[in-house]
Structures are given as structure tokens and as C-alpha cells.
Amino acid sequence: MSDGDARQAAAGQLQDWLVQRGLEGARQDELLHGYCERLVELGVPLYRLHVAQSAFHPKYGGLGYNWYRDRGVSSDKYGYSETPIEAWLRSPLYHLLDSGETEYRERLLETNAESRFPILNELRANGATDYFAAGVILEKRVPFEKIDPQNTPEGVLISWSSDGSAGFAEADLDLVRASLPQLALALKSAANRQMAGDLLQVYLGRDAGRRVLSGEIQRGSLQQIDAVLCYFDLKDFTALTERTPGPELIAMLNEYFGMAVGVIQGHGGNILKFLGDGILAMFNLETPERSAAAGLDAAVQMRRGMEEVNETRLARGETVTSVTLALHAGEILYGNIGADNRLDFTVIGPAVNLTVRLSGLHRSVGRNIILSEPVARFAEPTGHDLVSLGRYMLRGVSEPQELFTIYEGAPGE
């Protein structure tokens, strides 16, 4: 078999492998590691591979992956920015988008002059001898339409760097070009699944998003679980809406909610719902005792977090408010409820209703944190100072319920 035939056969095998891994749902890091290892086995003097891929995420605009022969694959997430960062504007990949070219190559040992692209000077200092970049658009476009580098279509930009004494041979680049469409499609497949998972987690919550993506999508599919429910409710919000301009009100909600969500998730909790000015969350860890302990720890940290956020907002001359926190433990039904064409992954049950009612008792009991007796019982022993507030009749509950609070001597408590 001639060298040309051998390379053609190798290209076919690499294409088949990429298609198969794409069909199997390989993650980007797995896919790229295997792809680069196979190029090296085929004699391509590959030192580094870089992939930049568009993302669909409320926080990140792009994904980046780097493979080094001696380090494997690492990844980065690129946040949104109103003004492009300088390193991106001065990169060969930006040049591809801005110029409309589909490929760019620069032999790094053919001249002693510095490259106009800083990243190439850095690669050369680290031993790179050759650089090749290409881009693939993964959506239908008008022929010859110029790409806006600040609003790019779905696609992938890839660069290959060599540290071979002569850089890449033309046969190496032919192999890369031949497998590029299959690599791009496999990366698109992996990105689409990641995008679905990211968006489901953002909009439904981490646990609910994972369940939906794994196939729990039938209407009426419910699971009965034991959990500690937490209701975070901003105080006097109706009055605030009447005297606070809309954009300021949304900014305030986002600041308070951002703090609360970080605390709840940091203690293993899951956000179930944003209910206007409130958050319904649950802790369903391995045991009721662990769930109760996590809920108490989160409540204390959220109280302190509210104080810190308020200090910052007051220093900026902005409106502030306080919060009520209610914790209750019980059985809930967790799953899909709604219509065939509009479902919600949510919780229902008496325990949910009771949790919300507990929050409404803050004026009656004079406390901003209210715990039900089951939470206090499951949490013992605890490092928190739990104080009984007495027994109260609650709507929908036949027997008086003993309520508790966490005492820390905090302002407003």
C-alpha cells in the first residue's frame, strides 16, 4: 500500500471513529482527547489543540478546550462581555471570522520576526514550530454573508500547533482537513447535550433538570420523597413595587436571589420555584437529619447574607428589605404536573402548603426564622440555639404545632 493509500485509509478510520463517538454521545473532553491521541499515533507531530465553541447559556458565551500532548485536556468558559477582550481581538481565530477566511497557517520557524498574533509568539517561545487554524459554521447561512465576530453563528473554531522540526507536512494537514467535518459534527452533538443540561438546570433547578434530561418527562410521573422544605420570602415587597422603578426592582430581586440561591445550593439544596418575591427550595440529602442540619445552616447563612447585601445596597443609596425564612419537614410529591404540551416539574402536598403558611406567621411570633417541630427534632443535636416559640394553630392542621426559631441575637430578630 502506498503512503497516499495508507493516509487515505487512516483518514477514513478517523472519520468513522469520530462519527461513532458522536453517536455514542461522547463529551467534548473525551472526544478531543481520543482525537488528538489518534492523530499522534498516525504520525502527526501535534503539540497542542485548541477548540473554541459557541455556547447557549445565560452566563457564558463560549466554551474553550485545550489539549497538550503532555497534559491532556482542560476546559474554560468564556463569560459574556459588552466589549470584546483584547486577547480575543488579537487572535488568529478572530482573524478567521473577521476576514471571512476558512483557514489560517503560520510557520513559526520561517522568520525571526514577531507574529502579529501574541498567542503565536507565546507558542513559539514554548517550542511550537507550526500553526494551523480552521473554522466550521454549523448552521445554514446566506452564501458570502459576512460574519459579525461579536455575534457569531453556531460553529467551532479549531487550531492545531506542531513542535516537529519541520512543522506539519501537507499530508498531516490533509488528514486534519479530511476529518474536520466529522469532528465538528461530533462536537456539535456533545455541545447540544451539554446545552440542554445547562438550560434545564438553570430553568428547572439542578435536580429537576437532571431528572428531565434522564427521561422523567411523562405527565403524572411523581415520586414521594421526604424532604426539608425552605421558603425564602422578602418582606413588604408589595409596598416596594409601588415606590421602586421596575429596573431597580428587578436588580434588587436578582441581588437578593443570587445570594440565597448560592447559599441553598452550597448546602446541597435544590431550588424548586421562584414565587414572585420568594424562593421555594428543598433539602433531600441522604437522611432527614442531614437535610435538617443543612437547612438550618443555610438559614443562618442567608440571614447573614441579607445583612451583607443590605450593607452594600445602603452604601450605594439603594432600597433594602428583610426576609422571612420558614423550614418544615415532611412528605412531598415531586414530579411532572400540567398538560400534555405544558408541564412543570414541581412539588405538591400538605407539607408545601404548611411551609408557606409558617412564613406568614412572622408578625405573630416576632421572628424572621420559623422552624416546624419536625425540623427541630431531626436537627438535634445541633450547634444552633433553637428556641421554642410556643404552640400555634395553623390553618389546615388539626392539632396545635410547636414552632421554633434560631437565636443568634441578630438585628431584626
Side-chain angles (χ1 to χ4, degrees):
M1 181 182 293
S2 67
D3 289 343
D5 291 339
R7 274 301 173 108
Q8 187 173 0
Q13 292 172 359
L14 182 58
Q15 291 167 341
D16 291 344
W17 180 86
L18 287 168
V19 170
Q20 184 61 36
R21 294 301 286 139
L23 291 172
E24 292 169 353
R27 300 194 315 266
Q28 289 100 318
D29 56 345
E30 298 173 337
L31 184 73
L32 293 174
H33 181 77
Y35 168 76
C36 292
E37 291 292 317
R38 278 161 177 75
L39 286 182
V40 172
E41 290 172 3
L42 291 170
V44 177
L46 185 64
Y47 156 66
R48 172 187 182 262
L49 178 96
H50 174 73
V51 172
Q53 196 167 8
S54 51
F56 193 61
H57 191 281
K59 187 175 180 181
Y60 307 109
L63 304 171
Y65 297 90
N66 284 307
W67 175 90
Y68 286 90
R69 193 171 55 234
D70 58 346
R71 294 181 234 167
V73 179
S74 61
S75 62
D76 294 298
K77 295 179 178 179
Y78 307 129
Y80 286 106
S81 175
E82 292 186 6
T83 57
I85 61 174
E86 187 67 18
W88 165 238
L89 294 176
R90 300 179 65 193
S91 71
L93 299 185
Y94 181 90
H95 166 74
L96 282 179
L97 294 177
D98 190 45
S99 66
E101 298 174 12
T102 58
E103 294 183 0
Y104 178 80
R105 185 182 187 186
E106 187 167 332
R107 296 182 181 274
L108 302 179
L109 288 186
E110 288 190 348
T111 175
N112 292 324
E114 282 199 352
S115 171
R116 59 180 170 139
F117 301 117
I119 182 62
L120 299 192
N121 294 320
E122 182 180 327
L123 289 172
R124 177 164 52 186
N126 289 327
T129 57
D130 205 350
Y131 177 91
F132 176 75
V136 179
I137 302 300
L138 296 171
E139 62 182 52
K140 189 174 182 179
R141 299 182 63 250
V142 176
F144 309 111
E145 179 185 20
K146 185 173 176 58
I147 295 174
D148 179 1
Q150 308 312 323
N151 185 27
T152 59
E154 182 182 4
V156 59
L157 296 167
I158 309 175
S159 70
W160 298 257
S161 300
S162 172
D163 60 355
S165 59
F168 292 120
E170 286 303 318
D172 298 329
L173 297 184
D174 288 342
L175 178 60
V176 165
R177 292 185 182 102
S179 60
L180 182 56
Q182 291 79 13
L183 175 60
L185 280 173
L187 286 170
K188 178 178 181 176
S189 174
N192 284 347
R193 183 166 182 84
Q194 179 177 344
M195 177 183 70
D198 289 344
L199 290 179
L200 284 171
Q201 288 191 31
V202 167
Y203 280 93
L204 296 182
R206 295 183 302 187
D207 184 68
R210 176 185 58 79
R211 290 171 181 265
V212 170
L213 193 62
S214 66
E216 293 186 37
I217 56 176
Q218 295 299 314
R219 183 172 66 153
S221 60
L222 296 167
Q223 182 181 9
Q224 185 169 293
I225 63 175
D226 292 312
V228 169
L229 294 166
C230 174
Y231 186 52
F232 172 102
D233 188 32
L234 295 175
K235 296 173 70 174
D236 303 320
F237 190 73
T238 300
L240 285 173
T241 61
E242 295 176 354
R243 65 174 188 267
T244 307
E248 293 180 22
L249 193 70
I250 296 301
M252 180 181 70
L253 275 176
N254 286 338
E255 193 162 7
Y256 287 130
F257 282 1
M259 177 277 299
V261 169
V263 171
I264 291 167
Q265 293 183 339
H267 286 84
N270 288 294
I271 306 300
L272 299 170
K273 289 289 178 187
F274 292 100
L275 303 169
D277 60 328
I279 300 173
L280 181 63
M282 73 173 181
F283 298 87
N284 61 321
L285 306 180
E286 291 82 359
T287 64
E289 291 77 14
R290 290 195 63 182
S291 296
L296 292 184
D297 290 343
V300 170
Q301 189 172 337
M302 280 189 282
R303 175 166 59 183
R304 295 171 182 166
M306 285 294 296
E307 295 169 4
E308 293 171 359
V309 171
N310 283 343
E311 286 179 7
T312 301
R313 291 184 61 83
L314 286 171
R316 298 196 301 248
E318 297 171 340
T319 303
V320 300
T321 188
S322 55
V323 69
T324 61
L325 290 160
L327 292 169
H328 176 53
E331 289 184 348
I332 58 174
L333 290 173
Y334 183 46
N336 288 289
I337 300 171
D340 288 336
N341 61 352
R342 180 59 176 90
L343 291 172
D344 194 8
F345 208 98
T346 188
V347 293
I348 61 171
V352 180
N353 301 331
L354 182 55
T355 305
V356 177
R357 287 177 193 146
L358 289 179
S359 176
L361 291 176
H362 66 93
R363 290 188 178 87
S364 300
V365 302
R367 294 288 167 173
N368 290 344
I369 297 181
I370 304 173
L371 322 173
S372 69
E373 186 275 334
V375 174
R377 174 164 38 87
F378 285 133
E380 290 293 347
T382 178
H384 300 293
D385 188 3
L386 302 187
V387 179
S388 175
L389 298 172
R391 297 170 67 81
Y392 291 81
M393 290 299 300
L394 301 175
R395 182 166 56 89
V397 182
S398 59
E399 297 293 331
Q401 303 290 307
E402 185 173 10
L403 305 180
F404 295 81
T405 192
I406 305 171
Y407 179 76
E408 278 194 333
E413 281 288 289

